[in-house]
Amino acid sequence: MRFTAGRAIMRAVLPCLLGLALALPAFAGEHKSAAPKHGILLVAFGTSVPEATPAIEALKRDAEAAFPGVPVRLAYSSHIIRDKIEKEGIRKNSPAQALADMAAEGFTDVSVQSLQTIPGREYTDVKATAELFAHMPKGIRHVSVGRPLLFLPEDIAAAAKAILPVLPKHARGEAVILMGHGTEHPANAAYSALQLELWKHDKSVFVCTVESKPAIEDIIPQLKAGHFRTAYLVPFMSVAGDHAHNDMAGPEKDSWASRLSAAGITPKPVFVGLGSRPTVARLWMDHLREADKALGL
Ligand code: CO
């Protein structure tokens, strides 16, 4: 009796199962039909200095060369910079806008590379924004974010190795001061980690920041004690933009150049950003490559 009932159930259920089995490949097909569309988004802080823009564009071309055939987009994370240049008729997308456009265009797999030096606020904001798109209905299926220049201990060692050979040749009595941005974020410690790494190779290279610690006044006594008479000033930022032209080398009394001059040390500013130094730009591209590999395409 039970047996027959079971059979009856089977008779009733079987066509359904068959139907489902037939329908399944169709479902699978539909899922597959959203063919992977691979893209890359580079996020720079941005710059309002027209001479610094080509350095950012060059990084975009580096990414295009590293990933032939993969569309590479560029966004500026700084609202202030975007607003400022928009008044001059230059429109740049925010990271969120760039990702929204990519989602709308059907990109399914996107790696995002932040062109930051340290994992501070700018980087964590970009990372959070990018990851939201992977959780959004009809967003981007897979998003992978590349780490900034100074992140892992080996990144700090690699950055030191990349920058040292391309610094101005300095004789005895000449120092090189790298100008980092600096932040209230705990990631500011990355500059000190870089300093320690640099000192393993060259005791006349110093790292200072514009907006945090160590500040220029923190190292002036050290420079004096070391009998340095000259100091090359080198931006440790992706571009030699506003901070390089004003805070580092500007004529104002509180610029680094003026403070050093007042201390009897001749400043020699160098207007080359990290993005224009191929040995350093390559490190960002390496991080992008790693992030992209994590997409598993
Ligand atoms: Co700034």
Side-chain angles (χ1 to χ4, degrees):
M1 180 71 180
R2 269 177 133 192
F3 186 63
T4 12
R7 266 194 174 167
I9 288 166
M10 273 311 279
R11 260 201 302 274
V13 165
L14 206 61
C16 297
L17 283 175
L18 266 171
L20 195 65
L22 287 170
L24 270 175
F27 275 125
E30 186 180 282
H31 209 80
K32 256 193 189 154
S33 74
K37 191 172 175 186
H38 183 197
I40 287 168
L41 174 65
L42 293 187
V43 182
F45 179 78
T47 181
S48 57
V49 176
E51 304 88 83
T53 315
I56 299 177
E57 298 293 335
L59 286 165
K60 184 171 176 270
R61 282 195 301 277
D62 284 349
E64 282 161 348
F67 295 88
V70 180
V72 179
R73 304 283 169 87
L74 176 67
Y76 277 11
S77 63
S78 166
H79 208 300
I80 296 170
I81 302 273
R82 289 198 312 271
D83 284 354
K84 203 168 161 188
I85 60 175
E86 189 151 1
K87 289 189 188 104
E88 289 144 30
I90 305 159
R91 242 197 76 82
K92 289 285 179 200
N93 276 334
S94 66
Q97 186 60 59
L99 287 163
D101 288 351
M102 290 177 97
E105 289 169 49
F107 281 89
T108 57
D109 297 79
V110 175
S111 40
V112 179
Q113 180 61 47
S114 142
L115 301 172
Q116 309 297 332
T117 52
I118 59 163
R121 261 288 300 279
E122 286 298 317
Y123 165 72
T124 51
D125 283 358
V126 166
K127 191 168 155 64
T129 303
E131 283 167 355
L132 279 176
F133 277 83
H135 291 103
M136 213 177 267
K138 299 185 179 171
I140 298 164
R141 250 185 351 221
H142 304 114
V143 177
S144 180
V145 181
R147 59 191 197 274
L149 199 61
L150 309 177
F151 193 81
L152 302 172
E154 54 261 43
D155 294 339
I156 289 160
K161 261 204 194 107
I163 190 98
L164 281 167
V166 294
L167 292 177
K169 296 272 163 284
H170 45 287
R172 220 183 148 78
E174 295 183 323
V176 177
I177 308 175
L178 298 178
M179 182 194 62
H181 190 277
T183 174
E184 293 309 304
H185 189 279
N188 194 66
Y191 295 112
S192 301
L194 177 68
Q195 176 69 86
L196 287 177
E197 198 59 39
L198 291 166
W199 277 343
K200 285 186 194 167
H201 308 278
D202 189 337
K203 288 277 195 309
S204 53
V205 180
F206 298 84
V207 182
C208 277
T209 69
V210 179
E211 290 185 6
S212 186
K213 290 277 171 183
I216 192 74
E217 57 268 29
D218 296 325
I219 67 148
I220 287 178
Q222 219 173 324
L223 294 172
K224 281 179 160 173
H227 306 290
F228 289 104
R229 304 299 307 270
T230 302
Y232 290 95
L233 306 178
V234 178
F236 196 81
M237 300 185 192
S238 56
V239 298
D242 189 62
H243 285 300
H245 286 90
N246 296 308
D247 302 293
M248 186 182 87
E252 297 79 14
K253 247 183 38 215
D254 59 348
S255 76
W256 288 18
S258 302
R259 282 169 192 247
L260 288 163
S261 294
I265 300 162
T266 309
K268 290 194 176 171
V270 176
F271 296 100
V272 180
L274 294 175
S276 305
R277 299 185 180 279
T279 54
V280 181
R282 198 172 303 139
L283 299 176
W284 271 307
M285 292 305 130
D286 288 348
H287 294 186
L288 170 59
R289 227 172 264 118
E290 273 183 50
D292 200 73
K293 218 167 158 191
L295 289 173
L297 289 170

